[in-house]
Amino acid sequence: MNPLLSLPPVSAYSSGVGSSSSSASSPSGSQTSSQYRSATPAAESHNAGKKVGGLDEAQLKELTELKARDREVRAHEAAHQATGGQHAGAMSLTYQRGPDGAQYAVGGEVSIDMSSVDGNPQATIEKMRAVRAAAMAPAEPSSQDRAVAAQAMQVMLQAQSELSLERPTLAGQQARDTYQDIAAFGPEPASGMDGFLSISV
């Protein structure tokens, strides 16, 4: 199982924490945490005295954005997990503490099994269809999700190629079996002359 389907932390919320090599960023802001704070010094000083629930306006804005991000991450990863079914692993989330002290999900991933089914191209094709559907399940698939979908398609095409090589052999055997049934060929011929039938007129 490899952690291939992921929605990594948004840098604006995660103090610049980057994604791993198996993760790719989803559509989001690209400012670092320090850049995010330095972008609003005037607002912070202007509203320093305005408190709501112990939080100033800038903190309330950050909290609102963290809550929205949390919902987005959970929905994204849940879509992968639900569609992937038996091929998907557990959801793994990355959290950040908000100004209210609570933990909010800012990134996540779902492992998915990309291995082919040994000796069974048809089963591999069906499995890769499920994997591809899982990768593209979120409303806004990330670049990593699209890469996983492309990889699943490659495995599926390979399996289809293997299956096409097997089918002529299977079809030929089935044709021979059918012909033998019709012509009464087999271990016990219908007449004493191999390959011929007795016909009464």
Side-chain angles (χ1 to χ4, degrees):
M1 300 280 283
N2 296 317
L4 294 172
L5 305 183
S6 62
L7 192 64
V10 174
S11 56
Y13 301 136
S14 58
S15 300
V17 175
S19 59
S20 67
S21 60
S22 63
S23 301
S25 298
S26 61
S28 60
S30 59
Q31 293 179 316
T32 64
S33 180
S34 60
Q35 290 172 328
Y36 179 81
R37 286 194 296 270
S38 65
T40 56
E44 289 180 357
S45 92
H46 179 72
N47 297 292
K50 296 183 179 180
K51 300 281 185 178
V52 178
L55 303 175
D56 60 32
E57 187 173 328
Q59 290 174 321
L60 289 172
K61 180 181 179 182
E62 180 185 358
L63 182 59
T64 298
E65 293 174 349
L66 279 171
K67 287 181 177 180
R69 177 62 177 174
D70 183 273
R71 289 191 297 270
E72 176 190 1
V73 168
R74 292 178 188 277
H76 186 108
E77 304 306 333
H80 285 317
Q81 194 173 43
T83 309
Q86 64 179 333
H87 307 303
M91 184 188 306
S92 176
L93 300 175
T94 302
Y95 295 94
Q96 176 163 332
R97 187 180 299 279
D100 60 347
Q103 296 283 352
Y104 296 94
V106 293
E109 66 183 25
V110 169
S111 299
I112 193 156
D113 185 0
M114 293 289 295
S115 63
S116 58
V117 180
D118 290 340
N120 194 334
Q122 185 59 49
T124 297
I125 291 170
E126 293 171 2
K127 180 179 178 179
M128 290 305 107
R129 282 175 179 162
V131 168
R132 187 175 185 277
M136 300 302 290
E140 296 184 10
S142 67
S143 58
Q144 177 65 15
D145 297 337
R146 296 180 188 281
V148 170
Q151 185 178 348
M153 179 62 73
Q154 289 179 349
V155 176
M156 185 166 63
L157 290 174
Q158 178 62 35
Q160 287 175 337
S161 176
E162 293 174 5
L163 191 61
S164 67
L165 294 176
E166 291 181 1
R167 279 178 175 166
T169 302
L170 294 173
Q173 183 61 49
Q174 289 173 350
R176 286 193 295 273
D177 292 344
T178 301
Y179 183 77
Q180 287 176 351
D181 289 341
I182 294 173
F185 287 1
E188 297 182 5
S191 69
M193 299 177 63
D194 289 345
F196 291 88
L197 295 175
S198 296
I199 300 176
S200 297
V201 179

